[in-house]
Amino acid sequence: MTFTSRTPRVAAARKLQRRKDRDQTGRFLAEGPQAVREALAAGVVIELFGTGEGLSRHAELAAQAQVVSPVSDDGLAALAETVNPQGLVAVCEQVDVPLHEALAKEPRLVAVVAEIRDPGNAGTVLRTADAAGASAVIFAGDAVDPYNGKCVRASAGSLFHVDVVRAPLDVVPDLNAAGLQVLATSGYGADDLDTLADDGVLAAPTAWLFGSEAHGLPSALLDAADRQVRVPIYGGAESLNLAAAAAVCLYASARAQR
């Protein structure tokens, strides 16, 4: 039996494109073979939808799923959010963990995205933090949903590799209590990233705070941080975007901690 966009199971899964339904069910959609592969490895796939071609091309993934539901092209199009879907969409259990659980692991590198609203940026920071060896990414305050479809795709599977935490905005005391120095990024920060690297400051366990591109970090977080750090600009650019700044800062810490 091949399901269509009007099949109740497809219609129910499609509702997970809305944050309200993701929050109510504790489930989300992972689209494309890369995301599905990582979700299967993490053991969180509840149901795998795929076109005949998609299931045939990625038979090794279909073999790992407990429930496989063939769908028509229009059925997959209803579930996918991209213009050219790649034949697979999985319904997954959400993977975030409580803040205390993530900090109990004594992490050495943590990224905090505070009230950022752009899902593409959030997913890219997730991917970058994973690549730099961070063990947790904390979505603080009124931040974008980490299970937003664009965020999941931009993370390129890294959503399943790090501890994803949703926490209140006043997260700094918990980070300090876990033995982390808290460095807030700011274009007007008193401390220069290169100087901190030269002085050995970045070798300590660190949580980096990143704010939205439009508004930066809330003043309460800037004030609570141990240091306010600026990334030096050597050319004529006014600033770096969020994802680029996160990459520079996280890799500076990763290198110092090696």
Side-chain angles (χ1 to χ4, degrees), residues 56 135 160 182 215:
S56 175
S135 58
F160 304 104
V182 178
H215 306 293

Side-chain angles (χ1 to χ4, degrees), residues 41-128:
V44 297
V45 172
I46 296 168
E47 182 172 11
L48 177 61
F49 291 96
T51 61
E53 182 184 354
L55 293 173
S56 175
R57 186 186 310 131
H58 304 286
E60 79 285 0
L61 300 180
Q64 298 174 50
Q66 292 186 352
V67 179
V68 177
S69 298
V71 290
S72 62
D73 287 342
D74 85 295
L76 190 87
L79 296 172
E81 295 182 87
T82 55
V83 176
N84 298 304
Q86 295 177 275
L88 298 177
V89 175
V91 176
C92 305
E93 296 172 349
Q94 295 184 3
V95 297
D96 53 298
V97 300
L99 179 63
H100 68 85
E101 183 177 317
L103 296 181
K105 299 175 183 178
E106 300 181 355
R108 291 193 56 80
L109 186 57
V110 171
V112 180
V113 286
E115 298 194 335
I116 72 168
R117 305 296 173 82
D118 184 270
N121 267 337
T124 302
V125 172
L126 261 171
R127 183 178 185 178
T128 302

Side-chain angles (χ1 to χ4, degrees), residues 3-15 49 71 75 78-79:
F3 298 149
T4 71
S5 60
R6 289 193 281 269
T7 302
R9 277 164 69 175
V10 175
R14 187 181 187 182
K15 290 180 179 178
F49 291 96
V71 290
L79 296 172

Side-chain angles (χ1 to χ4, degrees), residues 2 12 23-24 49 55 73 76 90 95 138 150 185 215 221 227 229 232 254:
T2 299
D23 288 344
Q24 287 177 351
F49 291 96
L55 293 173
D73 287 342
L76 190 87
V95 297
I138 299 171
K150 188 174 181 180
T185 52
H215 306 293
L221 278 184
R227 295 175 184 262
V229 184

